[in-house]
């Protein structure tokens, strides 16, 4: 079979390994924490972490506004603040499970985490600057710079005006009660609760009110679902539903296969969706042939994951595949067959956790 350009049917390449060694996932056992400890939160950095001096740093908010603003970090900290637990997932999560494999950061399923973000609602700052009537989008430009697809660029993305003015947009300067660490966007990042990771621009330098839609790389080329002819289609916005299980039992060092003993096994996990509250999680222990409802916990927040649990009576030694499947309030659920697309985005296929149940002592 011929794989499309930019994909691979073989082993992970050195280029993918280089990215994977820089950008780590959340070890899935960390699903046990309602709020992910900072060092366990997944990490994705397109270029380099920029050197930013928080003392001299200022945010510039300009373009189609009545007043250009350039607040310091102290100015922003003096403004009204909100704190919100938000589940963040990379749009490329699940990419390496696709065949052929789109060659980029080779995520399996662990590009997720839930942070407690503190900052100024973006609307507060936009109101202070006064958006002109002809402003249609807000552009968020990071201080990090690199080359991608042959284009030298700062990482930057825009939001439509109504989304930027909504409750989900926060200019965050703290994560889990501490100043942002360098890798997560210090001193200031955008948090766009419910949206895939690419929208949450880190290391903010400028915000520009635009009178025309932004046509830069991360909007036009990146973060779109490509059709079979390789034409860029829909832009990615909110996260599709996904449920993951805390890996049960003991892992094998190299294969990561799980080993359990015969008897009751309490399965636990967390599920989220950017389209609404998770209303249902089902569990299967036979590779998706039969499903049972899990018990749901309270969501950690209105834009954060929700815990679930299920007691499995593992009575017969042998091989099993554990799966869980989330359904959200909007009726979206998870597919068995991954929705293949050229850049490997939004693959929320149902997880498969192979386990071996061992008999007697
Ligand atoms: N400035 C900047 N912002 C960025 C990125 C980046 O490379 N540069 N990566 C984006 C992507 S693709 C993701 S998934 C999230 C990751 O956020 P985290 O590293 O804090 O988990 O940040 C987004 N914001
Ligand atoms: Mo991402």
């Amino acid at each position: 079979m011929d794989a499309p350009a930019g994909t691979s049917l073989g082993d992970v390449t050195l280029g993918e390994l280089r990215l994977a060694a820089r950008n780590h996932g959340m070890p899935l056992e960390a699903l046990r924490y309602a709020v992910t400890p900072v060092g366990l939160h997944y990490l994705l950095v397109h270029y380099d972490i920029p050197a930013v001096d928080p003392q001299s740093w200022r945010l510039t908010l300009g373009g189609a506004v009545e007043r250009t603003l350039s607040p310091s970090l102290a100015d922003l900290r003096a403004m009204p603040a909100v704190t919100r637990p938000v589940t963040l997932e990379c749009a490329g999560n699940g990419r390496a499970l696709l065949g052929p494999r789109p060659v980029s950061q080779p995520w399996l399923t662990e590009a997720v985490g839930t942070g407690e973000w503190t900052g100024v609602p973006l609307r507060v700052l936009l109101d202070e600057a006064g958006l002109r009537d002809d402003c249609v989008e807000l552009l968020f430009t990071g201080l990090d710079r690199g080359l991608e697809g042959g284009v030298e660029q700062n990482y930057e993305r825009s939001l439509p005006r109504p989304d930027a003015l909504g409750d989900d947009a926060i200019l965050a300067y703290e994560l889990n009660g501490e100043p942002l660490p360098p890798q997560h966007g210090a001193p200031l990042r955008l948090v766009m609760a419910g949206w895939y990771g690419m929208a949450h621009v880190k290391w903010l330098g400028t915000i520009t009110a635009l009178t025309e839609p932004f046509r830069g790389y991360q909007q036009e080329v990146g973060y779109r679902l490509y059709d079979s002819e390789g034409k860029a289609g829909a832009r990615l916005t909110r996260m599709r539903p996904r449920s993951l299980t805390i890996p049960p039992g003991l892992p094998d060092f190299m294969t990561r296969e799980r080993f359990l003993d015969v008897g009751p096994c309490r399965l636990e996990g967390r599920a989220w969706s950017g389209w609404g509250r998770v209303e249902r999680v089902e569990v299967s222990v036979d590779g998706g042939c039969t499903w049972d409802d899990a018990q749901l916990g309270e969501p950690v927040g209105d834009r954060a994951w929700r815990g679930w649990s299920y007691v499995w009576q593992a009575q017969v030694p042998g091989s099993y595949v554990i799966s869980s499947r989330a359904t959200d309030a909007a009726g979206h659920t998870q597919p068995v067959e991954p929705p293949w697309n050229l850049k490997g985005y939004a693959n929320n296929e149902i997880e498969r956790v192979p386990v071996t149940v061992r008999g007697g002592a």
Side-chain angles (χ1 to χ4, degrees):
M1 170 183 168
D2 270 355
T7 67
S8 175
L9 291 165
D11 291 339
V12 165
T13 62
L14 189 56
E16 290 168 289
L17 175 60
R18 271 189 213 106
L19 288 174
R22 289 179 53 79
N23 298 307
H24 64 79
M26 181 190 72
L28 291 182
E29 60 273 29
L31 285 165
R32 72 171 76 103
Y33 306 107
V35 173
T36 312
V38 172
L40 293 176
H41 194 283
Y42 88 95
L43 182 70
L44 197 290
V45 177
H46 279 236
Y47 314 130
D48 292 342
I49 298 169
V52 188
D53 170 21
Q55 298 306 318
S56 56
W57 173 91
R58 280 178 175 266
L59 175 71
T60 304
L61 168 53
V65 293
E66 305 297 340
R67 290 164 292 280
T68 296
L69 305 178
S70 57
S72 67
L73 197 54
D75 296 334
L76 291 167
R77 280 182 171 276
M79 299 178 79
V82 290
T83 296
R84 244 175 129 185
V86 172
T87 296
L88 202 69
E89 182 187 21
C90 181
N93 202 16
R95 174 182 291 128
L97 300 172
L98 295 172
R101 190 179 70 256
V103 173
S104 181
Q105 168 72 25
W107 294 123
L108 296 168
T109 58
E110 52 282 87
V112 65
T114 295
E116 207 159 45
W117 303 93
T118 298
V120 186
L122 175 60
R123 183 180 45 231
V124 171
L125 211 70
L126 297 180
D127 285 349
E128 197 173 307
L131 287 186
R132 283 187 353 218
D133 287 347
D134 58 349
C135 163
V136 295
E137 283 192 355
L138 281 299
L139 176 64
F140 302 84
T141 304
L143 295 165
D144 51 330
R145 196 169 174 80
L147 286 93
E148 198 168 342
V151 183
E152 187 175 325
Q153 59 190 288
N154 284 53
Y155 185 92
E156 55 183 355
R157 281 185 51 92
S158 70
L159 285 177
R161 176 178 180 146
D163 295 296
L165 288 170
D167 288 338
D168 288 331
I170 300 166
L171 296 173
Y173 46 74
E174 280 183 10
L175 171 56
N176 297 3
E178 301 284 342
L180 289 191
Q183 71 273 28
H184 291 297
L188 189 77
R189 83 178 300 174
L190 177 65
V191 167
M192 192 56 206
W195 289 45
Y196 279 119
M198 75 282 151
H200 306 232
V201 179
K202 303 195 267 192
W203 311 294
L204 279 176
T206 58
I207 301 176
T208 313
L210 302 178
T211 56
E212 297 287 338
F214 175 60
R215 300 239 178 267
Y217 186 91
Q218 306 297 346
Q219 208 88 12
E220 286 298 289
V221 183
Y223 301 110
R224 296 179 67 165
L225 294 169
Y226 284 72
D227 68 16
S228 50
E229 274 90 59
K231 228 179 95 241
R235 290 190 171 78
L236 290 159
T237 57
R238 297 182 178 276
M239 301 177 290
R240 291 179 178 173
R242 191 198 293 277
S243 173
L244 294 175
T245 307
I246 298 176
L250 299 177
D252 175 73
F253 170 66
M254 202 58 212
T255 64
R256 304 304 300 174
E257 190 187 341
R258 317 296 308 185
F259 291 89
L260 315 175
D261 295 323
V262 162
C265 171
R266 188 182 162 82
L267 298 172
E268 291 181 298
R270 295 190 191 272
W272 65 93
S273 168
W275 295 97
R277 190 178 155 107
V278 168
E279 299 284 12
R280 186 177 192 191
V281 174
E282 298 153 281
V283 173
S284 170
V285 296
D286 55 11
C289 294
T290 60
W291 296 91
D292 239 349
D293 276 301
Q295 266 206 321
L296 291 174
E298 277 306 302
V300 171
D302 64 343
R303 291 284 183 228
W305 55 25
R306 184 168 192 182
W308 58 261
S309 65
Y310 178 82
V311 178
W312 171 35
Q313 302 296 341
Q315 272 151 358
V316 183
S319 299
Y320 296 84
V321 174
I322 296 171
S323 295
S324 64
R325 170 171 76 187
T327 304
D328 68 20
H332 301 129
T333 186
Q334 301 182 239
V336 177
E337 271 295 308
W340 195 89
N341 61 94
L342 190 63
K343 288 182 176 264
Y345 296 129
N347 174 16
N348 67 332
E349 68 181 83
I350 296 166
E351 70 168 344
R352 295 174 63 83
V353 185
V355 304
T356 298
V357 175
R358 302 176 296 191

